[in-house]
C-alpha cells in the first residue's frame, strides 16, 4: 500500500469518527452554550494531548526551536483554536447540522487557493476542475435565500473556514520546512496550549463555579475533545507529511457525507432532493481532486 493511500484511508476513518461526535454535539448545543462547549472540549483535548505526549510518548518540551518556528506554532494555535473552534460552534447553533457540515467542507477549496500563494503548490488541472465542480454544488444545495438567522450562521462558518484553511497551509509549510524540529504530536500539543489556554482560562473564570452539565452532555463534550479535536489534529498533522494541504482538506470533506447520513437517525433531519444533489456534486468534485494525472505541462499550469 502506497504512503499516499495509507494516509488517505487513515484520514477518512478519522473524519468519520469526528462526524459522529459533531452530530452528537448538535444535540448538546440545545442545552449547552457554544462558548461553554468550546472551552470545555478544548480543555479535554489539552489534557488528553498533554498526557499522550509527555507521559505516553515521553517526549520532552522542545527548547531548541527558533523564533520563526515558535511564530508558526503561535499562528497555528491562534487560528485553529482561538478562532476556528468558536466560529464553527457559533455557526452550528444557528444552522442545521447537515448545512453546517456542507459549508465547513468547503475549507478544502479555500485551502487549495491559499496554497497556490502561500506554498506555491499548484494543483493539476483535473484537481482544479474538481474544486470548481464541488463549488458549484453550493448553488444547488441552497435553492433559496437563507433566513437572517441562517445568514449569521453562514457568516460565522465562512470566517471559520478561512482561518482553518490558513491553519492547514501553515501546518503544511511547517511540516515541509521544519518537520525535523518537532513531531506532529508535539506540534499539536503546543498549538492547542497556545491557542486554547486563553479561552479555557476565560471559561473557568466566568463559568467555572456556576456551570452545570448533565452526564450525557459531559460525555459528548469528552468525545468531541478527544476525537474531534485531539485525534483529528494528530492525524491531520501526521498525514500532512505525505498529502498536500488541499489534498488532505478535500479528503476531509467526506465528512459532509458522514454527517448527512448520521444526522438522519440521530437528529431526525431529512435531506431534500436539492440537498442530496448538492452533496453529490461536492462528492464528485472531491474525487476528482485526488487524481494526480501527469498531463502535458499546460494541464498543470
Amino acid at each position: 500500500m502506497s504512503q499516499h493511500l495509507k494516509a488517505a484511508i487513515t484520514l477518512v476513518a478519522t473524519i468519520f469518527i469526528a462526524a459522529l461526535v459533531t452530530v452528537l454535539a448538535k444535540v448538546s448545543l440545545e442545552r449547552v452554550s457554544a462558548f461553554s462547549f468550546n472551552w470545555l472540549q478544548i480543555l479535554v483535548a489539552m489534557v488528553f494531548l498533554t498526557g499522550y505526549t509527555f507521559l505516553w510518548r515521553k517526549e520532552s518540551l522542545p527548547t531548541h526551536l527558533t523564533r520563526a518556528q515558535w511564530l508558526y506554532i503561535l499562528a497555528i494555535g491562534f487560528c485553529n483554536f482561538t478562532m476556528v473552534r468558536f466560529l464553527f460552534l457559533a455557526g452550528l447553533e444557528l444552522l442545521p447540522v447537515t448545512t453546517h457540515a456542507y459549508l465547513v467542507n468547503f475549507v478544502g477549496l479555500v485551502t487549495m487557493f491559499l496554497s497556490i500563494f502561500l506554498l506555491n503548490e499548484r494543483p493539476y488541472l483535473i484537481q482544479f476542475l474538481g474544486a470548481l465542480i464541488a463549488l458549484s454544488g453550493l448553488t444547488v444545495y441552497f435553492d433559496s435565500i437563507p433566513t437572517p438567522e441562517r445568514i449569521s450562521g453562514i457568516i460565522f462558518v465562512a470566517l471559520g473556514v478561512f482561518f482553518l484553511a490558513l491553519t492547514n497551509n501553515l501546518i503544511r509549510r511547517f511540516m515541509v520546512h521544519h518537520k525535523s524540529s518537532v513531531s506532529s504530536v508535539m506540534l499539536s500539543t503546543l498549538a492547542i496550549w497556545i491557542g486554547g489556554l486563553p479561552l479555557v482560562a476565560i471559561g473557568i473564570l466566568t463559568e467555572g463555579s456556576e456551570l452545570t452539565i448533565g452526564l450525557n452532555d459531559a460525555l459528548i463534550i469528552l468525545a468531541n475533545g478527544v476525537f474531534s479535536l485531539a485525534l483529528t489534529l494528530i492525524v491531520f498533522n501526521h498525514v500532512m507529511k505525505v498529502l498536500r494541504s488541499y489534498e488532505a482538506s478535500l479528503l476531509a470533506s467526506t465528512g459532509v457525507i458522514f454527517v448527512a447520513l448520521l444526522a438522519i437517525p440521530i437528529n431526525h433531519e431529512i435531506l431534500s432532493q436539492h440537498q442530496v444533489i448538492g452533496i453529490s456534486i461536492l462528492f464528485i468534485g472531491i474525487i476528482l481532486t485526488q487524481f494526480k494525472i501527469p498531463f502535458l505541462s499546460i494541464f498543470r499550469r
Side-chain angles (χ1 to χ4, degrees), residues 47-124:
V47 173
F48 178 85
L49 281 171
T50 301
Y52 179 70
T53 304
F54 297 106
L55 299 180
W56 181 265
R57 290 173 57 93
K58 300 185 184 303
E59 294 191 30
S60 301
L61 189 67
T63 58
H64 58 280
L65 298 180
T66 65
R67 180 182 298 179
Q69 291 169 339
W70 276 114
L71 286 175
Y72 270 111
I73 297 173
L74 176 65
I76 291 169
F78 173 79
C79 291
N80 198 16
F81 297 103
T82 306
M83 299 301 296
V84 171
R85 302 304 160 184
F86 173 75
L87 289 169
F88 278 177
L89 281 174
L92 188 58
E93 277 191 312
L94 302 174
L95 297 172
V97 66
T98 49
T99 301
H100 180 274
Y102 184 79
L103 293 174
V104 167
N105 281 285
F106 276 89
V107 69
L109 308 182
V110 181
T111 300
M112 174 182 286
F113 290 115
L114 286 180
S115 69
I116 296 174
F117 302 102
L118 298 179
L119 299 173
N120 198 30
E121 292 182 343
R122 300 182 182 277
Y124 289 81

Side-chain angles (χ1 to χ4, degrees), residues 98-99 141 260-261 264 269-276 279:
T98 49
T99 301
Y141 189 91
L261 295 175
I264 295 173
E269 293 193 10
I270 300 175
L271 294 177
S272 62
Q273 184 178 9
H274 66 85
Q275 288 176 319
V276 173
I279 291 174

Side-chain angles (χ1 to χ4, degrees), residues 31-290:
R31 299 178 293 270
V32 182
S33 70
F35 175 73
S36 300
F37 195 104
N38 189 39
W39 75 261
L40 285 171
Q41 72 166 351
I42 289 178
L43 176 61
V44 170
M46 287 171 61
V47 173
F48 178 85
L49 281 171
T50 301
Y52 179 70
T53 304
F54 297 106
L55 299 180
W56 181 265
R57 290 173 57 93
K58 300 185 184 303
E59 294 191 30
S60 301
L61 189 67
T63 58
H64 58 280
L65 298 180
T66 65
R67 180 182 298 179
Q69 291 169 339
W70 276 114
L71 286 175
Y72 270 111
I73 297 173
L74 176 65
I76 291 169
F78 173 79
C79 291
N80 198 16
F81 297 103
T82 306
M83 299 301 296
V84 171
R85 302 304 160 184
F86 173 75
L87 289 169
F88 278 177
L89 281 174
L92 188 58
E93 277 191 312
L94 302 174
L95 297 172
V97 66
T98 49
T99 301
H100 180 274
Y102 184 79
L103 293 174
V104 167
N105 281 285
F106 276 89
V107 69
L109 308 182
V110 181
T111 300
M112 174 182 286
F113 290 115
L114 286 180
S115 69
I116 296 174
F117 302 102
L118 298 179
L119 299 173
N120 198 30
E121 292 182 343
R122 300 182 182 277
Y124 289 81
L125 178 62
I126 192 170
Q127 293 177 317
F128 184 74
L129 291 177
L132 292 180
I133 291 173
L135 184 62
S136 68
L138 181 64
T139 59
V140 177
Y141 189 91
F142 293 105
D143 63 339
S144 59
I145 299 176
T147 62
E149 184 183 49
R150 296 283 176 85
I151 291 176
S152 298
I154 291 171
I155 292 173
F156 280 131
V157 176
L159 291 172
V161 163
F162 171 78
F163 280 106
L164 184 53
L166 182 58
T167 300
N168 294 338
N169 280 282
L170 289 172
I171 293 174
R172 170 65 175 174
R173 190 176 179 88
F174 185 90
M175 298 310 295
V176 169
H177 299 289
H178 307 283
K179 64 181 179 181
S180 61
S181 58
V182 295
S183 67
S184 58
V185 176
M186 179 61 73
L187 174 62
S188 303
T189 303
L190 294 175
I192 198 171
W193 271 98
I194 291 173
L197 189 58
L199 287 176
V200 172
I202 293 173
I204 293 175
L205 291 174
T206 57
E207 299 182 337
S209 60
E210 302 176 356
L211 192 61
T212 302
I213 298 178
L215 178 60
N216 289 339
D217 294 326
L219 291 175
I220 291 174
I221 292 172
L222 180 66
N224 272 270
V226 173
F227 297 108
S228 183
L229 283 186
L231 180 63
T232 302
L233 188 60
I234 292 173
V235 171
F236 205 89
N237 289 352
H238 178 70
V239 301
M240 205 72 79
K241 298 176 183 178
V242 179
L243 304 177
R244 291 185 174 186
S245 57
Y246 63 85
E247 291 172 344
S249 298
L250 288 164
L251 268 177
S253 297
T254 53
V256 70
I257 310 298
F258 300 140
V259 167
L261 295 175
L262 292 168
I264 295 173
I266 296 176
N267 291 348
H268 308 292
E269 293 193 10
I270 300 175
L271 294 177
S272 62
Q273 184 178 9
H274 66 85
Q275 288 176 319
V276 173
I277 295 174
I279 291 174
S280 300
I281 294 174
L282 173 64
F283 187 64
I284 293 172
I286 292 171
I287 293 176
L288 291 177
T289 58
Q290 297 307 306

